[in-house]
Amino acid sequence: MHPRRPDGFDGLGYRGGARDAQAVGGAFPARPFGSASDPTHWVTSPPDIPGSRNLHWADRSPPYGAPGPSTPLDGPEQPCPGGGGGGAPGRSSEQLNRFAGFGIGLASLFTENVLAHPCIVLRRQCQVNYHARHYHLTPFTVINIMYSFNKTQGPRALWKGMGSTFIVQGVTLGAEGIISEFTPLPREISHKWNPKQIGEHLLLKSLTYVVAMPFYSASLIETVQSEIIRDNTGILECIREGIGRVIGLGVPHSKRLLPLLSLIFPTVLHGVLHYIISSVIQKFVLLILKRKTYSSHLAETTSPVQSMLDAYFPELIANFAASLCSDVILYPLETVLHRLHIQGTRTIIDNTDLGYEVLPINTQYEGMRDCINTIRQEEGVLGFYKGFGAVIIQYTLHAAVLQITKIIYSTLLQNSV
């Protein structure tokens, strides 16, 4: 289980408040990646919006070894980077730099959680539809079925359950914070990590997924339930149904409903693997981008505009690559997880073959192993990848938004320099 967004929060990094040491001339020396004196800290944790940490100089993300402007050590105040000696044009450029960084992160966050939601809805409906003859492995068939749903049920059919996904993210972040406050389990891993610290950190993640699990089930039902028979539920319905799932009251379920205890292992397994994979990929991509940027600075081929772009986009690109890789690698496990969560909830879904009509969910899986064997025998290996075309559309859209945002940001910087 992993909330959309996101994708690995906190990262296998650590948050630090120490600033880069300044040289006598005030410049920030470029250091090779991995040097013992490199104090850069890489953290990508929601609730931070990527880029929003750059609103304040004390929290500024390191610009990947780019040399900064001159800053007097003894002055009454330190001008912001790119300030041009503290003049009015420099302050204007820095103000643009700050707000542009916030806008870049906000655009990425908006794409992940809002624009991509129709893809998440169709992806989940395809995953739980064991009746389906069309697997929608390509984006072309996905676009066609999206058009059919929008035509027969209206736009709400593709945006249902969006509020509940935000609730699940909030519950996950809140549970993690509370558990880490009252236990010695660390939320973040320092650069001087050891196997015990990593184990405790992953245990914290596991406990967080367990707490959020019933609300995740309720959110899953809201996103796959057909709009044709759907009641006008409130935004807090996810919380009510999640609590009802825990205490066994207020929610009509069949005898095929799997107990929450049997869902703990697949839920935690999916969540922890998603977090590990996304964190490793993120660190690897950041390493490559930083070395590339450092080499370009040594060759003195980087323009001022490119130096400013290097302060924001490498982290966003690393987050994008990490989320994409983890979603693709764990897609079969996610299909199994969703089928186990939806079983016995009396959920009625849309017919993803026709684009109209509805279908009941009447699976009778006994557990995770039985679900895997049944899918492989009755639907084949590709049955684990039903709706994969929606993932292609989702990340293509995300990449397009990042590229457009980068072009707009570059144009604004060129006009201000």
Side-chain angles (χ1 to χ4, degrees), residues 89-205:
R91 287 194 296 269
S92 176
S93 176
E94 176 60 24
Q95 186 178 16
L96 174 63
N97 194 17
R98 290 174 177 176
F99 284 100
F102 179 80
I104 292 169
L106 189 62
S108 178
L109 197 65
F110 179 79
T111 304
E112 291 179 16
N113 295 278
V114 179
L115 290 183
H117 190 74
C119 300
I120 297 174
V121 169
L122 188 61
R123 159 185 173 178
R124 291 180 173 183
Q125 283 193 317
C126 293
Q127 285 178 318
V128 301
N129 187 2
Y130 67 97
H131 304 279
R133 298 188 307 272
H134 300 291
Y135 288 6
H136 300 296
L137 302 176
T138 65
F140 308 105
T141 59
V142 170
I143 294 175
N144 183 47
I145 204 67
M146 280 184 173
Y147 173 77
S148 299
F149 286 158
N150 183 74
K151 183 179 180 180
T152 57
Q153 304 178 35
R156 291 184 58 184
L158 298 176
W159 300 93
K160 55 193 176 185
M162 187 171 64
S164 65
T165 59
F166 286 108
I167 291 177
V168 172
Q169 292 183 28
V171 170
T172 302
L173 293 173
E176 182 179 8
I178 293 174
I179 295 174
S180 64
E181 279 292 323
F182 293 96
T183 64
L185 302 178
R187 278 190 86 176
E188 299 158 358
I189 299 177
S190 68
H191 64 295
K192 298 180 180 180
W193 58 269
N194 54 64
K196 179 183 178 182
Q197 190 179 39
I198 291 181
E200 292 176 344
H201 180 66
L202 294 180
L203 177 59
L204 172 63
K205 294 294 182 183

Side-chain angles (χ1 to χ4, degrees), residues 293-302:
T293 304
Y294 179 69
S295 299
S296 64
H297 283 301
L298 289 180
E300 297 183 352
T301 59
T302 303

Side-chain angles (χ1 to χ4, degrees), residues 156-340:
R156 291 184 58 184
L158 298 176
W159 300 93
K160 55 193 176 185
M162 187 171 64
S164 65
T165 59
F166 286 108
I167 291 177
V168 172
Q169 292 183 28
V171 170
T172 302
L173 293 173
E176 182 179 8
I178 293 174
I179 295 174
S180 64
E181 279 292 323
F182 293 96
T183 64
L185 302 178
R187 278 190 86 176
E188 299 158 358
I189 299 177
S190 68
H191 64 295
K192 298 180 180 180
W193 58 269
N194 54 64
K196 179 183 178 182
Q197 190 179 39
I198 291 181
E200 292 176 344
H201 180 66
L202 294 180
L203 177 59
L204 172 63
K205 294 294 182 183
S206 302
L207 295 177
T208 300
Y209 297 137
V210 171
V211 173
M213 181 175 61
F215 306 101
Y216 182 82
S217 294
S219 175
L220 176 63
I221 294 173
E222 287 192 21
T223 54
V224 303
Q225 182 91 307
S226 176
E227 195 68 22
I228 297 177
I229 53 92
R230 181 185 177 88
D231 297 329
N232 292 325
T233 57
I235 192 173
L236 298 180
E237 186 70 15
C238 172
I239 297 179
R240 187 186 69 84
E241 291 190 5
I243 296 175
R245 181 75 180 267
V246 174
I247 64 179
L249 296 176
V251 185
H253 294 141
S254 70
K255 295 182 179 179
R256 298 187 304 274
L257 181 71
L258 294 174
L260 289 176
L261 289 177
S262 63
L263 297 176
I264 289 179
F265 177 73
T267 301
V268 171
L269 177 64
H270 176 266
V272 171
L273 288 179
H274 196 288
Y275 174 71
I276 293 175
I277 293 174
S278 61
S279 298
V280 172
I281 296 295
Q282 181 190 22
K283 291 297 177 183
F284 180 72
V285 173
L286 280 174
L287 171 63
I288 295 177
L289 293 177
K290 181 169 183 179
R291 287 183 173 177
K292 180 179 178 181
T293 304
Y294 179 69
S295 299
S296 64
H297 283 301
L298 289 180
E300 297 183 352
T301 59
T302 303
S303 64
V305 172
Q306 185 62 40
S307 297
M308 293 183 181
L309 291 177
D310 289 340
Y312 301 104
F313 279 95
E315 189 173 346
L316 294 175
I317 294 173
N319 290 339
F320 171 81
S323 181
L324 172 62
C325 293
S326 54
D327 278 355
V328 171
I329 294 173
L330 296 178
Y331 196 88
L333 179 58
E334 184 183 72
T335 298
V336 174
L337 177 66
H338 287 168
R339 292 201 183 188
L340 295 177

Side-chain angles (χ1 to χ4, degrees), residues 338-378:
H338 287 168
R339 292 201 183 188
L340 295 177
H341 273 277
I342 209 73
Q343 176 172 301
T345 58
R346 297 182 178 178
T347 302
I348 305 296
I349 65 172
D350 296 308
N351 190 327
T352 56
D353 288 336
L354 304 177
Y356 56 89
E357 298 182 351
V358 294
L359 298 170
I361 299 296
N362 296 319
T363 55
Q364 298 182 2
Y365 305 124
E366 296 180 359
M368 181 177 176
R369 179 180 298 180
D370 181 56
C371 181
I372 294 174
N373 293 333
T374 302
I375 293 176
R376 185 172 60 246
Q377 294 173 4
E378 298 182 358

